[in-house]
Amino acid sequence: MTEPEDKAERHKKRMQARKKIVDAGVARALEERGTVILYTGDGKGKTTAAIGTVTRALGYGYRVFVAQFIKGVWECGEKNLLTQLPEGKYSLHWHEMGTDFTWETQDFDADKAAARALWSKARVALQDEETYLVVLDELTYALNYHWLDKQEVVEAIQQRPLQQTVVITGRGAKQYLKDIADTVSEMRALKHAFSEGIAARKGIEW
Ligand code: ATP
Ligand code: MG
């Protein structure tokens, strides 16, 4: 065999072996249900990953509910775009706390009240059979600051309709959130431009 042919043959064998592994994995994954996905860690990419999932679900015409704990006074590009989608064709329900980062508001009671008001809307979505995807963006802060009761949140997520998926984002997710999640990805900051003195950019960071 000439050298390039030998290489092609080796590649083919490797891919056949890989295909067997992938096919076996696919054959094992038979359960059809929604999952809990948790994006945590201190690196960039948690909210953008959640919003990527929102566009995926909307692209198939599914009903999506987004709750943004923390955010709400700043502009954000994804909200500008997605909340302009034609209503008859896409079903997106976007709600936010409408307060600033807690170190800006410095008002515990107001933050707690805003978080609870938002949570009461999220609870309704978590009981709605028609809602395919629920995003609880920056939920970890609302829990870690004790604005919400963790037991109540965990139960509402666990008792959601079988086909509903929940995406939770935020730094510092505690073990109980990791325990109820089916998929946990930790974004680790190997580098972040901000630490190098580069300002957050419109359309990239928000
Ligand atoms: P993104 O919204 O860009 O996906 P994120 O949701 O992972 O980021 P958050 O922890 O919610 O990040 O942080 C909010 C803001 O801080 C965003 O503008 C984000 O881009 C930025 N950011 C994320 N990681 C870091 C970091 N390690 N250092 C500084 N700023 C960061
Ligand atoms: Mg975020």
Side-chain angles (χ1 to χ4, degrees):
M1 223 184 269
T2 62
E3 227 176 75
E5 268 175 322
D6 188 34
K7 211 174 158 190
E9 195 54 36
R10 279 205 313 272
H11 177 75
K12 195 175 170 191
K13 282 219 173 89
R14 268 208 310 275
M15 287 306 113
Q16 279 169 347
R18 170 117 306 264
K19 182 168 161 51
K20 262 193 194 160
I21 295 168
V22 173
D23 287 352
V26 171
R28 270 195 307 272
L30 292 175
E31 200 181 337
E32 293 279 353
R33 66 166 175 90
T35 57
V36 177
I37 302 171
L38 171 63
Y39 294 123
T40 190
D42 59 6
K44 177 173 168 63
K46 300 174 291 293
T47 296
T48 44
I51 300 301
T53 313
V54 168
T55 63
R56 223 173 233 185
L58 287 175
Y60 288 102
Y62 292 122
R63 182 183 295 177
V64 176
F65 175 93
V66 176
Q68 289 201 296
F69 292 88
I70 306 288
K71 282 180 196 156
V73 282
W74 294 0
E75 223 191 339
C76 86
E78 58 268 41
K79 182 186 154 197
N80 289 351
L81 173 74
L82 294 172
T83 55
Q84 280 184 58
L85 293 175
E87 260 179 49
K89 198 162 173 207
Y90 299 101
S91 183
L92 174 64
H93 302 267
W94 191 295
H95 299 274
E96 53 217 5
M97 262 178 66
T99 54
D100 207 335
F101 278 105
T102 179
W103 50 89
E104 297 290 349
T105 66
Q106 298 167 9
D107 183 341
F108 181 84
D109 291 333
D111 288 340
K112 185 171 172 174
R116 282 177 182 264
L118 181 56
W119 169 244
S120 65
K121 291 179 189 148
R123 276 190 71 130
V124 174
L126 287 165
Q127 291 169 357
D128 177 26
E129 296 272 348
E130 296 301 311
T131 300
Y132 190 77
L133 173 65
V134 172
V135 173
L136 304 171
D137 187 41
E138 320 296 354
L139 177 72
T140 55
Y141 299 94
L143 291 165
N144 294 348
Y145 291 134
H146 304 288
W147 294 335
L148 306 178
D149 179 60
K150 79 174 185 196
Q151 192 70 24
E152 189 185 326
V153 171
V154 163
E155 277 174 22
I157 292 170
Q158 286 181 318
Q159 288 162 12
R160 74 192 187 284
L162 187 67
Q163 300 306 327
Q164 186 182 84
T165 289
V166 177
V167 176
I168 299 166
T169 83
R171 299 175 186 213
K174 296 281 193 297
Q175 190 57 43
Y176 65 88
L177 280 186
K178 296 179 186 171
D179 289 343
I180 61 162
D182 301 285
T183 300
V184 181
S185 291
E186 188 161 63
M187 277 55 170
R188 188 153 63 100
L190 295 182
K191 272 186 170 186
H192 197 289
F194 185 67
S195 325
E196 300 303 310
I198 302 169
R201 282 184 78 74
K202 183 177 184 178
I204 306 295
E205 260 81 44
W206 78 88

